[in-house]
Amino acid sequence: MQRIVDIGRRIELIPMDPHFHDITIGLYQQQSVNAIIGKATPVFLVHTYSHIAGAAERIENVRQAMQTLGGMLKTPEGLLYFPCGSAHQLGCRRVFLEACKLASHTDAEPRPLNILDKKSRLTITVDSIGDGGYRVTADGEGRRAARRVSAIAGGLMKLGEMESVETDGGDTVAFDCGYTHDALVGLLLTRAPNVRITLREEEMSATRGVLSAPSQQL
Ligand SMILES: [Zn+2]
């Protein structure tokens, strides 16, 4: 009889980790009582079935990088969660993918809340306005700048499951949990200008993951 350990639902997969012997690393979502928050909240497990020496250290490395890149916290059991207690599943998946790209968590740095937008050559800045809200601005004026601001705000909404906040400029988005998530927003901001390409890449890697993952990983 096979032993079944419930480690949660797999929500993301790195079929072959280029930084550690091509092992498969999965991200799993569970629901568990979080003693620190004091109620059942979504928590995330980074897991590999590989028993190669050093695999556990690699997993710990990814976990630490996720804490830095996504502003996530860790339970005593090593499960990751956001301080607000919300899942932010899409955001967490992106944090995981970016963390796995790094050879070591010591390379992980929280991303700043501004980027140079290659398309418009404008610097795009995101400011926390409280209650989980973020306002996107550009260091330029005119229709083109306004269009980029609104496109990047739209990118943040798609990548981070953020909501639009009613403003004149279509430049403000918010997390429905009402918490600030500066690290997560900084990370999403690096992808927001190319949201379509990012989503297409993710779709392709998800398909690849399904094809190349060892069947049910038994
Ligand atoms: Zn939140």
Side-chain angles (χ1 to χ4, degrees):
M1 212 176 118
Q2 70 200 42
R3 196 170 64 101
I4 296 169
V5 181
D6 186 14
I7 58 171
R9 190 161 58 91
R10 196 179 77 202
I11 57 168
E12 194 54 83
L13 185 79
I14 298 289
M16 284 190 285
D17 175 13
H19 298 297
F20 191 76
H21 302 291
D22 290 344
I23 63 171
T24 301
I25 305 179
L27 178 68
Y28 297 78
Q29 183 174 344
Q30 315 171 359
Q31 189 83 1
S32 87
V33 176
N34 186 320
I36 298 150
I37 293 181
K39 59 175 183 180
T41 57
V43 288
F44 300 93
L45 170 73
V46 182
H47 181 74
T48 182
Y49 284 91
S50 168
H51 294 296
I52 298 177
E57 286 75 15
R58 173 59 179 155
I59 295 300
E60 177 54 27
N61 220 295
V62 171
R63 277 201 291 246
Q64 286 193 30
M66 286 180 72
Q67 286 181 263
T68 306
L69 294 177
M72 300 184 80
L73 302 174
K74 199 160 67 175
T75 68
E77 298 79 32
L79 300 164
L80 296 168
Y81 64 96
F82 287 105
C84 61
S86 295
H88 299 305
Q89 194 198 92
L90 265 191
C92 183
R93 284 167 57 190
R94 168 114 321 265
V95 172
F96 170 71
L97 292 171
E98 297 292 334
C100 288
K101 284 182 190 168
L102 301 172
S104 165
H105 71 86
T106 51
D107 299 334
E109 274 177 26
R111 305 278 156 82
L113 288 173
N114 57 71
I115 47 155
L116 177 66
D117 174 39
K118 289 196 189 99
K119 210 163 181 177
S120 64
R121 298 190 168 275
L122 296 171
T123 297
I124 305 288
T125 304
V126 180
D127 290 304
S128 170
I129 55 167
D131 293 333
Y134 287 87
R135 181 156 181 259
V136 183
T137 52
D139 67 341
E141 288 175 353
R143 288 240 304 277
R144 191 173 159 75
R147 266 206 308 271
R148 283 311 282 159
V149 162
S150 138
I152 288 168
L156 288 175
M157 284 169 60
K158 286 206 185 75
L159 294 170
E161 295 169 287
M162 297 175 81
E163 295 170 341
S164 158
V165 176
E166 282 299 316
T167 56
D168 291 340
D171 57 359
T172 306
V173 292
F175 289 105
D176 60 1
C177 63
Y179 279 63
T180 57
H181 289 290
D182 286 358
L184 180 59
V185 170
L187 184 82
L188 298 176
L189 183 61
T190 61
R191 290 291 185 149
N194 294 307
V195 66
R196 263 185 241 136
I197 295 170
T198 300
L199 293 178
R200 204 161 44 226
E201 272 173 14
E202 252 161 43
E203 222 169 83
M204 281 165 62
S205 84
T207 316
R208 249 198 331 269
V210 170
L211 291 177
S212 61
S215 166
Q216 295 300 309
Q217 305 245 9
L218 295 173

